[in-house]
Amino acid sequence: AKSKSKGSYALFNDDFGITIDRQHQMERELKLSIHNNELCCYFQPQYDYEKKSIVGFESLARWHSAKFGMVSPVTFISMAENTGFIKELGRFVVDQTFAFAKTIQGRGIRVSFNASPVELLQADYVNYVIERFCYYGLTPGSVAIEVTESSLIESFDEVIKKFKILSGYGIYVYLDDFGTGFSSLTYLKNLPIHSVKIDKSFIDEVVTDRVGRDIVDMIVRLAKRLNLEVIAEGVETQAQIECIYDCGCRMIQGYFISPPVPWERALSLLDVMHK
Ligand code: C2E
Ligand code: CA
Ligand code: CA
Ligand code: CA
């Protein structure tokens, strides 16, 4: 199937750094991924270092393509957005996440999932989330939606309205990748959100860089003042955990605890790491 003319190799798509030809193939495969059972969610523990217990999971989409191998969500999410497949993909993620949350209901665990700005701005996205939340009979506080600060850029008021509707049902809102956006400190106090997730780029530096540590310290203190929970993401070492804990943050997510794992494996982690 590799009968390309010499010229077609020059046709690169800037977004993915791959040939247009390959991109179109991948788009076609992506559209079939749900039907072909290639799409699933993995779950990464969110760990309370003080309680020494898993208190949450983040649901992360995975595409094991028969043709392309493991494709990063960074690639296939934006591809799905460009092709319109994002609607189906997003609904799939919501359903997987809620089904998982239902399975572990009653154990005091919250399962979060990601919504890109494009998804959040779809007219019927929030309605779908609420409809499924009710369908699965989930209890308030058992799931959370992770959104980035960039969601707020385009239509601030509209997005705030959506946050309020979601939290009204007990679907918590987390501000993801906190500190990397355009933003933050000035409007943070008016946002109807439950938690902020400190971006990995700050966690990377927390041990080695004095300023990096000060930033984490400041984010944690500000969040506490505003009665927000803080989760540190991308924690990879014991030294980082200790440093973060010293800053007053007890909620940890990262490879040091566990990478994202398939459904069954997540359940068995819960057996050994949940109190
Ligand atoms: P994110 O929401 O910031 O997710 C955190 C990413 O960091 C995940 O990458 C996770 O596997 C990775 N990670 C967690 N702990 C560590 C660590 O200790 N070290 C390192 N190096 N990485 C760590 P992943 O799963 O590849 O997802 C990348 C991004 O793709 C996510 O960033 C999110 O923006 C997007 N994404 C993933 N799944 C979905 C989804 O279902 N829907 C939407 N809209 N976006 C998704
Ligand atoms: Ca996230
Ligand atoms: Ca993040
Ligand atoms: Ca990120």
Side-chain angles (χ1 to χ4, degrees):
K2 286 195 173 163
S3 57
K4 279 181 194 155
S5 75
K6 228 179 171 186
S8 76
Y9 284 99
L11 293 174
F12 281 96
N13 177 300
D14 284 338
D15 289 350
F16 309 115
I18 54 180
T19 61
I20 298 284
D21 203 43
R22 189 176 157 85
Q23 186 193 327
H24 286 163
Q25 261 182 45
M26 204 183 256
E27 285 170 0
R28 273 199 305 276
E29 287 299 308
L30 181 58
K31 278 192 183 133
L32 296 169
S33 62
I34 295 177
H35 178 79
N36 290 339
N37 278 321
E38 293 180 347
L39 203 70
C40 70
C41 288
Y42 276 26
F43 302 92
Q44 184 177 34
Q46 294 165 337
Y47 187 79
D48 186 328
Y49 189 64
E50 202 163 291
K51 270 175 76 181
K52 300 283 185 274
S53 175
I54 291 175
V55 291
F57 284 99
E58 177 177 3
S59 169
L60 292 152
R62 289 292 178 266
W63 179 26
H64 297 94
S65 163
K67 263 215 183 72
F68 297 96
M70 197 59 163
V71 182
S72 162
V74 178
T75 303
F76 72 75
I77 296 289
S78 64
M79 195 173 261
E81 288 179 346
N82 294 334
T83 57
F85 181 65
I86 191 65
K87 187 160 171 177
E88 226 175 312
L89 194 159
R91 291 180 170 209
F92 178 84
V93 165
V94 166
D95 272 280
Q96 288 277 300
T97 306
F98 288 5
F100 183 73
K102 185 67 185 179
T103 302
I104 57 175
Q105 181 143 283
R107 301 179 74 171
I109 307 274
R110 186 178 309 132
V111 189
S112 62
F113 61 100
N114 295 279
S116 70
V118 170
E119 293 183 277
L120 199 61
L121 288 173
Q122 286 167 359
D124 51 357
Y125 181 77
V126 166
N127 280 340
Y128 184 77
V129 171
I130 291 165
E131 195 263 306
R132 300 317 279 169
F133 182 77
C134 296
Y135 170 85
Y136 281 99
L138 294 168
T139 48
S142 60
V143 296
I145 185 168
E146 299 195 5
V147 297
T148 56
E149 293 166 271
S150 54
S151 308
L152 294 158
I153 297 177
E154 272 181 58
S155 26
F156 192 83
D157 294 338
E158 198 189 325
V159 169
I160 297 294
K161 219 160 50 183
K162 290 176 195 270
F163 288 179
K164 283 185 177 152
I165 294 169
L166 289 162
S167 22
Y169 280 86
I171 299 165
Y172 289 4
V173 180
Y174 295 175
L175 207 51
D176 204 354
D177 301 348
F178 185 74
T180 61
F182 70 104
S183 70
S184 25
L185 304 182
T186 49
Y187 69 79
L188 194 58
K189 76 170 160 59
N190 297 318
L191 283 184
I193 58 169
H194 189 272
S195 310
V196 296
K197 299 189 73 176
I198 306 177
D199 192 69
K200 180 178 186 301
S201 57
F202 300 112
I203 306 305
D204 286 341
E205 296 196 319
V206 80
V207 177
T208 49
D209 184 75
R210 183 60 224 249
V211 177
R213 194 203 143 100
D214 287 345
I215 290 173
V216 170
D217 194 73
M218 182 210 66
I219 293 175
V220 174
R221 270 199 263 181
L222 178 72
K224 286 194 166 169
R225 273 299 304 269
L226 299 170
N227 269 318
L228 300 171
E229 225 174 53
V230 202
I231 304 170
E233 65 177 9
V235 180
E236 295 178 341
T237 66
Q238 179 69 36
Q240 285 174 341
I241 291 192
E242 277 160 21
C243 205
I244 291 158
Y245 188 68
D246 279 348
C247 291
C249 173
R250 54 194 273 186
M251 298 273 281
I252 303 294
Q253 185 182 341
Y255 292 173
F256 190 79
I257 302 297
S258 165
V261 293
W263 180 303
E264 287 301 327
R265 175 93 185 102
L267 292 183
S268 46
L269 281 180
L270 212 48
D271 287 336
V272 292
M273 292 171 81
H274 178 61
K275 288 174 183 161

